[in-house]
Amino acid sequence: MTPQLTGSEASLADGEDGSSRDAAGPSRDEVFSALSNARRRNVIKYLKTNGSEARVRDIAEQLAAWENDVEINEVTYKQRKRVYTALHQSHLPKLAESGFIDYERDRGLVSLTEESRQLEVYLEVVSENEILWSEYYVGLAAVCGLLAAAAWTGTAPFDAVSGYAYAVLFAGIFGVSGLFHRLSTKRNRLG
């Protein structure tokens, strides 16, 4: 017989929208909702790159610079105030509610929580000139498949290499690709 959850336990187990929330942290819906706004993503980026705690004023100043594509010393009062107000009224409370930051409104301090580590996988950056890894692996599998087909049908010179040699070659290629992918992913993460 499975135990029944009380009202407060049930509200902790399920998100507001009925999505399941595991004991380890926020649901996927909460993650996507928190990251659905560029300012919230930039708050996390700022905290990851500038230390896990910062003043709201400093965050607002940097975000205003990023959003207006200017240096921090070129940010106007109006630009900074617009970002500060939005952070204070909407974005920081949303991130705090999801558990990704601690927001001390009265002190004007923001800090990352352990929950924020779960955001890393969603914050990877791929620049415009890079190929997506999924496309790379599909292409690599196609090339390996063509090589294997050429050897299997007896096409010269591919038939001169044994199947075991191809297996070792393909395993090596995918292994090196996976290692490079891992290093690249670590380098490209925000923060």
Side-chain angles (χ1 to χ4, degrees):
M1 183 170 174
T2 58
Q4 296 295 317
L5 297 176
T6 65
S8 62
E9 291 169 328
S11 66
L12 290 175
D14 292 333
E16 277 182 25
D17 58 358
S19 62
S20 134
R21 179 183 180 128
D22 64 23
S27 71
R28 224 177 217 196
D29 289 341
E30 289 173 308
V31 170
F32 288 139
S33 176
L35 296 178
S36 66
N37 183 278
R39 278 196 179 145
R40 290 193 289 267
R41 290 189 304 272
N42 283 332
V43 167
I44 300 297
K45 175 183 175 182
Y46 179 88
L47 291 170
K48 285 185 170 293
T49 56
N50 295 297
S52 64
E53 182 176 276
R55 297 181 313 181
V56 177
R57 182 175 52 183
D58 296 334
I59 297 170
E61 190 171 53
Q62 180 63 69
L63 268 61
W66 286 338
E67 291 174 13
N68 293 287
D69 201 24
V70 297
E71 295 295 320
I72 288 180
N73 58 354
E74 297 171 357
V75 173
T76 67
Y77 172 79
K78 186 177 179 179
Q79 292 168 332
R80 182 176 31 254
K81 181 68 173 169
R82 186 173 56 242
V83 173
Y84 179 89
T85 302
L87 288 177
H88 187 66
Q89 292 178 350
S90 174
H91 303 300
L92 296 177
K94 174 90 172 166
L95 288 169
E97 181 182 308
S98 298
F100 300 123
I101 64 167
D102 284 326
Y103 177 36
E104 298 178 47
R105 184 183 290 255
D106 55 331
R107 294 181 60 207
L109 291 176
V110 179
S111 59
L112 290 175
T113 64
E114 281 298 311
E115 298 285 336
S116 68
R117 302 185 98 223
Q118 295 182 21
L119 300 175
E120 289 179 12
V121 72
Y122 300 99
L123 293 174
E124 290 181 17
V125 176
V126 178
S127 20
E128 279 183 43
N129 58 353
E130 286 186 42
I131 187 170
L132 294 174
W133 281 104
S134 57
E135 293 172 353
Y136 170 81
Y137 285 113
V138 167
L140 185 60
V143 168
C144 290
L146 290 173
L147 281 173
W152 183 61
T153 59
T155 306
F158 303 107
D159 62 344
V161 179
S162 76
Y164 292 117
Y166 277 118
V168 169
L169 174 68
F170 296 160
I173 290 172
F174 274 93
V176 169
S177 295
L179 179 62
F180 185 75
H181 183 176
R182 176 74 176 132
L183 294 173
S184 175
T185 300
K186 262 185 146 173
R187 181 196 65 205
N188 284 342
R189 284 197 175 156
L190 297 177

